[in-house]
Amino acid sequence: MTGTVILELMESPATTNDAASAKLEAAAEDRELVRKAKAGDMDAYDQLVRRYQERIYGTIYHMTSNHEDANDLAQETFVKAYSALKNFKGDSSFFTWVYRIAVNKTINFLKQRKNRSFLSLNDLDHNVEHDQELVELVSQDTPRRDAGLTELAEKLNEAMQKLSEDHRMVVTLHDVQGLSHEEIGKIMECNTGTVRSRLFYARQQLQAYLSDYLK
């Protein structure tokens, strides 16, 4: 955690302000696209889909470990979002709203699926490369370190599979997708304290499951 704090302290105010401004601008653009989509502008909705389909797909894939299932669920997410768009009040951002639909669909799918496959983390996006705790995990000097990241990915696959859906989801959204605690709280409909405690518990469990590998 110390490394994370240091990285946050090193971040310049200008960078923070730029990121905040970009997020506000994106949210304003989303609101306008939603307004047009509600009025029947399919091009506007297509733009919303293009903005978020990659991240929605990535989240679902990391939960299901199946490209076909991820494609189907992502498509179903945007179809459902469009059909429910008239009921979208704008209390949250479109981003948060559609993510919530994807999360709920995926969790329901996992509960219904009898034979769960191992979750693949082989194609983690670039956000993971900047997560201090995962970087430290990969960099630690262990007897098996020379085996490379492939073996670590396999161990993470097994460890992630042992987590509950909720704990696996919070790790996926935070450590893989790079979402903030606040964003995850809105998506999973819980407060940030719950998000933090779930993330802490999940990481503790992962460390326990990986303890033999790290010796």
Side-chain angles (χ1 to χ4, degrees), residues 145-160:
R145 181 63 182 85
D146 292 338
L149 297 181
T150 300
E151 185 175 358
L152 175 59
E154 293 174 355
K155 297 297 181 180
L156 281 171
N157 288 341
E158 297 173 9
M160 284 287 286

Side-chain angles (χ1 to χ4, degrees), residues 36-102:
K36 292 180 178 179
K38 280 186 172 183
D41 187 341
M42 285 302 298
D43 287 338
Y45 191 70
D46 285 343
Q47 288 185 55
L48 288 168
V49 173
R50 288 194 295 272
R51 280 190 173 203
Y52 299 116
Q53 62 183 354
E54 185 175 342
R55 298 184 74 181
I56 292 293
Y57 170 85
T59 296
I60 297 173
Y61 175 70
H62 285 299
M63 290 295 293
T64 62
S65 188
N66 185 287
H67 289 292
E68 185 175 350
D69 290 338
N71 277 320
D72 290 345
L73 287 168
Q75 183 176 4
E76 290 174 16
T77 293
F78 286 109
V79 169
K80 181 176 180 178
Y82 183 75
S83 65
L85 195 61
K86 59 182 179 296
N87 299 319
F88 176 55
K89 305 300 183 182
D91 297 331
S92 63
S93 66
F94 177 81
F95 164 82
T96 298
W97 183 69
V98 76
Y99 252 72
R100 187 179 300 147
I101 293 174

Side-chain angles (χ1 to χ4, degrees), residues 11-193:
E11 187 175 19
S12 69
T15 301
T16 303
N17 291 336
D18 289 345
S21 297
K23 184 172 291 188
L24 288 174
E25 183 178 348
E29 292 174 353
D30 280 358
R31 286 193 296 271
E32 179 61 16
L33 289 172
V34 168
R35 185 190 67 77
K36 292 180 178 179
K38 280 186 172 183
D41 187 341
M42 285 302 298
D43 287 338
Y45 191 70
D46 285 343
Q47 288 185 55
L48 288 168
V49 173
R50 288 194 295 272
R51 280 190 173 203
Y52 299 116
Q53 62 183 354
E54 185 175 342
R55 298 184 74 181
I56 292 293
Y57 170 85
T59 296
I60 297 173
Y61 175 70
H62 285 299
M63 290 295 293
T64 62
S65 188
N66 185 287
H67 289 292
E68 185 175 350
D69 290 338
N71 277 320
D72 290 345
L73 287 168
Q75 183 176 4
E76 290 174 16
T77 293
F78 286 109
V79 169
K80 181 176 180 178
Y82 183 75
S83 65
L85 195 61
K86 59 182 179 296
N87 299 319
F88 176 55
K89 305 300 183 182
D91 297 331
S92 63
S93 66
F94 177 81
F95 164 82
T96 298
W97 183 69
V98 76
Y99 252 72
R100 187 179 300 147
I101 293 174
V103 166
N104 289 336
K105 272 192 165 295
T106 305
I107 289 178
N108 289 335
F109 172 82
L110 290 173
K111 288 179 178 178
Q112 294 171 1
R113 190 173 69 181
K114 294 180 180 179
N115 299 319
R116 297 178 181 176
S117 60
F118 286 133
L119 181 70
S120 175
L121 297 182
N122 293 333
D123 56 350
L124 294 178
D125 65 22
H126 71 281
N127 288 310
V128 173
E129 297 175 3
H130 302 291
D131 185 281
Q132 186 66 24
E133 294 186 11
L134 286 180
V135 170
E136 290 175 356
L137 179 65
V138 172
S139 301
Q140 287 182 8
D141 185 18
T142 71
R144 303 182 186 181
R145 181 63 182 85
D146 292 338
L149 297 181
T150 300
E151 185 175 358
L152 175 59
E154 293 174 355
K155 297 297 181 180
L156 281 171
N157 288 341
E158 297 173 9
M160 284 287 286
Q161 185 62 27
K162 294 177 182 179
L163 299 177
S164 69
E165 284 87 358
D166 285 343
H167 288 96
R168 195 189 315 166
M169 180 60 73
V170 77
V171 170
T172 299
L173 292 176
H174 188 274
D175 290 342
V176 177
Q177 293 295 329
L179 301 187
S180 68
H181 297 107
E182 291 74 16
E183 289 171 323
I184 297 171
K186 292 177 181 178
I187 291 167
M188 301 188 72
E189 298 182 302
C190 60
N191 59 47
T192 56

